Amino acid sequence: MPDVFADLVGQAEAVAELRRAAGAAAAVLAAGAVDRAPALVAVGPSSEAAPEAAPEAGDTEPGVLDPSSGMTHAWIFTGPPGSGRSVAARAFAAALQCAYGTGCGECPGCHTTMGGTNADVRMVVPEGLSIGVGEMRALVLRAASTPSGGRWQVVVIEDADRLTEAAGNALLKAIEEPPPRTVFLLCAPSTHPDDISVTIRSRCRVVPLRQPPATAVAEVLVRRDGIAPDVAQWAASAAQGHVGRARRLARDPEARKRREAVLAVPRRLTGVGAAFDAASALIEAAEAEAEASVAEADTAERAALETALGAGGTGRGAAGAIRGAAGQLKELEKRQKSRATRAQRDALDRALVDLAGFYRDALTMALRAPVDPVHTDTAALAGAGAQKWDAEGSLRRLEAVLACRAAIEANVKPRIAVEAMMLALWKG
Ligand SMILES: [Zn+2]
């Protein structure tokens, strides 16, 4: 297994910072200081300035770290989708559990963390639209326990922007007074107050990730996934820096077909009726894609729960068990419905990003900007659009797509937002 940071594409600065922090964290453990809390100085509210110099070992405040050494209890990884926020968080978690260095990739700590089996690393991946307060309280409670591996309790919260307000408050309490060996790693698109509360943000150190350049993404697809260089280059460009999406486009013919259907939208918009048809097609395609992506997990979960509940039992107590089972099945269905909704929105959002790329190409061509097109395979079509619409018309269309994304994010019904967008794209 290579170094744990190997898959973090095009993020040299962030990796250097995380390695420094992991080294500092290891030094704390080596000094045995953390057992006499507080181990680390939490980042203070509304200030990132370093407190006074750390006292020497054996002082009245043993183990207080100089924060300039690079380790703190709470971190936020920010960056556009696909930039590798959760990849960075997981790699950092591994580096914290690494027995020999700062993420060697070889030791049991690295291996178990990267494989998702380390008992002291919890990855919270919200399946629904939000992370609730119950889930967060349970998590905070477990995170306070002593790490069984003798190093750190690490909690990774992917999509921390989906925390409910109550869940955010529960998390804030834990971050304000962190247990000595607990580290929280949050992932969010940005530190905008819409994504993460100001109070949580003020307690965290921020690690900004950038959109990796297409060449770096292509290089990883070739090296790690064995994809042919020309396919890798095309996929990396079409995915606009989204590593996971690029891999899917390179490998999955269904994903390519869906993308082609989306990119066929601009030339189909020949009238009002066609605009509504295009809206329906886009929504239905997103629904179908989402259904396919969750169907397998749904069936497996239901079967597992039914087995656990002993479905079909006839012995004494079976009636009571069935009543309890009904409640649990209902709970499961609720969770699955929420996950399906999320999957639908994600699928639709991917389609809108592709579409935005097309109009962005038209705009840059109209402006004769010296940049490569996002979608090389529809470049000719975008060029024709650029001639017909000019820069202004291209920009209006690009803005219509972005407005649709924003509206859906703000909970406008997807069909309504997409219909409005298609009409705007047709009218220009
Ligand atoms: Zn290691």
Side-chain angles (χ1 to χ4, degrees):
M1 190 195 226
D3 180 285
V4 296
F5 291 104
D7 286 348
L8 197 54
V9 184
Q11 312 288 354
E13 279 169 45
V15 170
E17 182 181 358
L18 295 173
R19 274 197 206 287
R20 264 199 308 282
V28 176
L29 293 180
V34 257
D35 295 327
R36 294 162 286 161
L40 308 173
V41 178
V43 177
S46 71
S47 156
E48 287 188 49
E52 307 85 71
E56 296 299 316
D59 210 323
T60 45
E61 280 185 279
V64 176
L65 265 191
D66 176 357
S68 66
S69 70
M71 189 56 199
T72 50
H73 281 289
W75 299 71
I76 300 180
F77 296 82
T78 62
S83 57
R85 297 178 305 231
S86 57
V87 176
R90 185 190 291 264
F92 185 42
L96 290 174
Q97 307 295 4
C98 180
Y100 303 130
T102 53
C104 66
E106 306 289 338
C107 72
C110 286
H111 253 285
T112 52
T113 305
M114 297 306 276
T117 57
N118 190 299
D120 295 332
V121 177
R122 254 170 289 282
M123 302 282 292
V124 182
V125 186
E127 294 183 326
L129 293 172
S130 61
I131 307 174
V133 63
E135 193 180 347
M136 185 52 64
R137 284 210 184 108
L139 196 72
V140 163
L141 202 65
R142 285 184 67 185
S145 61
T146 308
S148 60
R151 297 185 72 85
W152 304 94
Q153 281 280 6
V154 185
V155 178
V156 179
I157 302 174
E158 285 187 32
D159 300 315
D161 52 309
R162 293 184 196 164
L163 289 171
T164 62
E165 197 184 338
N169 287 336
L171 175 65
L172 177 63
K173 264 188 221 144
I175 292 181
E176 277 176 336
E177 291 178 41
R181 293 249 200 141
T182 303
V183 179
F184 291 94
L185 308 179
L186 317 185
C187 306
S190 76
T191 54
H192 189 278
D194 284 351
D195 286 337
I196 205 91
S197 82
V198 176
T199 41
I200 289 182
R201 187 253 164 273
S202 71
R203 297 277 176 180
C204 294
R205 184 175 302 174
V206 179
V207 181
L209 302 174
R210 57 196 188 113
Q211 179 175 313
T215 47
V217 175
E219 190 270 323
V220 163
L221 296 188
V222 172
R223 171 173 57 79
R224 192 186 45 194
D225 303 309
I227 290 163
D230 55 332
V231 177
Q233 193 59 48
W234 166 81
S237 163
Q240 304 178 57
H242 192 305
V243 184
R245 170 102 176 117
R247 184 177 303 122
R248 217 168 306 124
L249 282 176
R251 285 185 152 171
D252 178 4
E254 288 297 314
R256 282 201 292 275
K257 232 186 276 170
R258 281 193 293 268
R259 171 180 169 278
E260 272 162 29
V262 169
L263 291 177
V265 163
R267 65 169 175 263
R268 288 203 178 147
L269 296 173
T270 52
V272 177
F276 279 103
D277 287 348
S280 286
L282 199 65
I283 297 277
E284 279 153 24
E287 282 171 358
E289 182 185 346
E291 203 170 301
S293 76
V294 299
E296 205 176 317
D298 281 1
T299 314
E301 278 174 3
R302 195 181 172 97
L305 182 59
E306 281 173 351
T307 307
L309 296 171
T314 51
R316 287 175 63 173
I322 286 166
R323 273 197 301 279
Q328 288 192 46
L329 280 172
K330 214 169 162 189
E331 187 60 35
L332 177 69
E333 276 163 15
K334 205 174 110 193
R335 239 182 18 247
Q336 291 183 339
K337 188 156 180 268
S338 172
R339 178 170 62 196
T341 306
R342 182 76 242 169
Q344 254 173 49
R345 289 219 192 154
D346 288 348
L348 186 57
D349 197 58
R350 274 195 294 279
L352 293 173
V353 169
D354 282 345
L355 205 53
F358 174 84
Y359 291 107
R360 174 252 186 220
D361 286 347
L363 176 62
T364 55
M365 287 176 195
L367 294 170
R368 298 182 205 291
V371 293
D372 292 332
V374 169
H375 301 299
T376 46
D377 42 358
T378 53
L381 196 62
Q387 288 215 322
K388 199 164 124 196
W389 307 321
D390 219 340
E392 225 175 283
S394 304
L395 179 60
R396 272 200 306 276
R397 287 172 172 84
L398 174 57
E399 282 174 340
V401 180
L402 299 180
C404 177
R405 286 186 79 195
I408 291 170
E409 196 54 46
N411 275 328
V412 172
K413 232 172 153 230
R415 182 174 288 274
I416 290 172
V418 170
E419 283 173 355
M421 175 192 76
M422 292 295 187
L423 285 172
L425 292 179
W426 167 61
K427 286 188 207 148

